[in-house]
Amino acid sequence: MGKTVKRVALVSGFIAGAVGGVILDPHHIAGASLLLVGLSATLYSFWSADVHQDDSDLMQQTMAELLVASGAGNPYTKLVGPKLSREGVRSAISCLDRALELDPRDTDALALYTLLGTQHLWLRVAAETRSRPPKFAEPATLRQMIEEGIRTGHRLDDFYCAKGMLLDAVGQFA
């Protein structure tokens, strides 16, 4: 963001100087030259930043490949952890609750909600957590939402996946 502000200030300064030079100064060529120099410098600055960003992305990809090859772990996987934190899930569920309030038949929201809920429930069972699951991971609610999602006929793979995890979590393996 800081570079963009500097670029805008640079361009504005050159344009103001050039316009002022062209309009008010008897040396029109000098003012027009100042404008061209400013625009050229700004274009080069934007081009240079894009080139550096491409280099940075390539360097990050190469570093990730080297870390994976050395057995040190995958940095992309490690970036996901904070997004799947308890707060991240709560934020996602809150947004999905609002989406379903606006349109209870929103299959995308239903699918995401049921997948998050059943995964949460399944992990609680796997960890042998005895406390009651949060509202979004209650088996009865999830079962109802999954059946409603299946009836829509869309995203069936997500709903059947959620149903399988739910049945496994509640011990109905057959």
Side-chain angles (χ1 to χ4, degrees), residues 5 65 83 98 104 112 122 129 136 157 164:
V5 172
E65 289 172 7
K83 295 178 181 181
R98 282 186 245 134
L112 291 170
W122 192 88
T129 305
F136 76 91
D157 53 339

Side-chain angles (χ1 to χ4, degrees), residues 78-119:
K78 292 179 183 190
L79 288 172
V80 173
K83 295 178 181 181
L84 295 177
S85 69
R86 182 171 287 179
E87 287 305 312
V89 170
R90 284 186 185 141
S91 175
I93 291 295
S94 175
C95 289
L96 293 171
D97 279 337
R98 282 186 245 134
L100 291 170
E101 285 173 12
L102 291 173
D103 182 6
R105 298 172 56 125
D106 183 339
T107 54
D108 291 329
L110 274 172
L112 291 170
Y113 193 103
T114 57
L115 286 170
L116 278 172
T118 54
Q119 287 173 3

Side-chain angles (χ1 to χ4, degrees), residues 49-171:
D50 289 342
V51 168
H52 290 301
Q53 182 63 43
D54 291 344
D55 290 345
S56 175
D57 291 345
L58 181 61
M59 186 182 306
Q60 185 177 14
Q61 177 66 27
T62 303
M63 290 298 292
E65 289 172 7
L66 289 172
L67 287 169
V68 169
S70 71
N74 190 331
Y76 292 112
T77 304
K78 292 179 183 190
L79 288 172
V80 173
K83 295 178 181 181
L84 295 177
S85 69
R86 182 171 287 179
E87 287 305 312
V89 170
R90 284 186 185 141
S91 175
I93 291 295
S94 175
C95 289
L96 293 171
D97 279 337
R98 282 186 245 134
L100 291 170
E101 285 173 12
L102 291 173
D103 182 6
R105 298 172 56 125
D106 183 339
T107 54
D108 291 329
L110 274 172
L112 291 170
Y113 193 103
T114 57
L115 286 170
L116 278 172
T118 54
Q119 287 173 3
H120 182 85
L121 180 64
W122 192 88
L123 289 171
R124 289 175 62 86
V125 169
E128 298 179 1
T129 305
R130 304 252 186 257
S131 63
R132 183 178 173 143
K135 180 185 172 206
F136 76 91
E138 290 178 353
T141 303
L142 288 171
R143 186 180 307 263
Q144 178 185 1
M145 292 177 86
I146 290 168
E147 294 305 321
E148 185 177 324
I150 290 171
R151 281 192 296 274
T152 67
H154 295 46
R155 294 189 67 155
L156 293 177
D157 53 339
D158 291 330
F159 291 114
Y160 282 117
C161 179
K163 186 173 185 174
M165 284 189 292
L166 175 64
L167 293 175
D168 186 39
V170 297

